[in-house]
Amino acid sequence: MKKVFMVHGFGREPNGGWRPWLMGKLARIDVWAFSLAMPTPREPKKDEWVAEISRSIGLPNEDTFLIGHSLGVPAILNYVESLPVNSKIGGLVLVSGIINVIPEKDKYIPINHFFDKKFDYEKIKKICKNFIIIHGDNDANVPFVQAKELANNLSCDLIPVKNGGHLNGNSGWYELPEAFDSLLKMMEI
């Protein structure tokens, strides 16, 4: 059975924004979906978030798909890096993902430890073959250049969303068809 695990961002909750809509859409096509409640979302700790993803997924396989938003993206990348190199994951959908420290944004200091080292993109690509990046072209929280860098490092498509902002509930996003369509493509449904 195909399973989708969703990881929310900094200071957020599992059932915010478009995640309930996406879970409903996936349920209608018999895909099991679950939105994780990450520990201490306002004071996130990378090791705790990676451990929660690992605990929730158990042993991943090619029917395992992850979708992350904002801080959920580096949490997922750190999780995939933590796996043995012979592990397999079906695909990652990475939405409004922050992958580097943003020096001019003091509010991000509590999350800078998520980027304490460069991601091992070659290892990540050995474990997972399918990636899609979705990012608002006017995201005020995470510069669009980070989406371009992530897509380049993962050798994958970048879907820009015109006037998408941070693609969260605060930006008015309670549905995200780009995420659903990307998952369908990866799952070959």
Side-chain angles (χ1 to χ4, degrees):
M1 172 180 241
K2 296 188 186 320
K3 295 182 178 182
V4 176
F5 297 87
M6 300 180 205
V7 181
H8 62 77
F10 176 74
R12 300 296 172 204
E13 56 191 46
N15 293 317
W18 42 262
R19 286 178 292 283
W21 171 84
L22 183 56
M23 286 189 289
K25 293 283 284 183
L26 292 168
R28 286 193 280 285
I29 60 169
D30 293 323
V31 173
W32 185 89
F34 184 70
S35 188
L36 307 178
M38 302 312 290
T40 60
R42 294 199 182 285
E43 296 178 15
K45 309 274 186 292
K46 176 176 72 171
D47 293 342
E48 291 177 3
W49 280 38
V50 169
E52 180 61 22
I53 296 168
S54 181
R55 184 196 66 74
S56 297
I57 292 175
L59 186 62
N61 60 46
E62 291 178 344
D63 287 331
T64 304
F65 298 84
L66 290 96
I67 181 165
H69 177 261
S70 195
L71 189 61
V73 170
I76 287 171
L77 295 174
N78 280 298
Y79 160 73
V80 174
E81 274 191 358
S82 76
L83 295 171
V85 73
N86 63 340
S87 301
K88 296 293 177 210
I89 290 179
L92 305 180
V93 177
L94 307 172
V95 181
S96 301
I98 180 170
I99 58 166
N100 294 310
V101 172
I102 304 173
E104 65 274 11
K105 302 241 182 205
D106 290 339
K107 68 181 180 179
Y108 289 119
I109 290 171
I111 65 169
N112 286 348
H113 64 283
F114 277 74
F115 326 106
D116 57 359
K117 63 175 184 54
K118 293 229 178 257
F119 292 107
D120 184 349
Y121 291 108
E122 292 309 310
K123 180 179 182 184
I124 291 168
K125 290 192 286 188
K126 286 179 183 166
I127 293 170
C128 181
K129 302 285 186 224
N130 297 298
F131 307 93
I132 296 285
I133 312 302
I134 304 170
H135 208 96
D137 67 351
N138 63 337
D139 190 332
N141 294 332
V142 181
F144 192 74
V145 68
Q146 290 209 21
K148 289 181 178 179
E149 180 182 341
L150 184 57
N152 183 57
N153 287 327
L154 293 174
S155 307
C156 69
D157 289 339
L158 165 60
I159 300 172
V161 178
K162 185 154 182 62
N163 297 317
H166 196 49
L167 296 174
N168 60 4
N170 291 347
S171 298
W173 290 90
Y174 298 98
E175 296 181 4
L176 192 59
E178 295 86 350
F180 180 68
D181 294 345
S182 296
L183 284 168
L184 291 182
K185 182 179 172 184
M186 286 179 186
M187 295 176 183
E188 299 176 349
I189 293 178

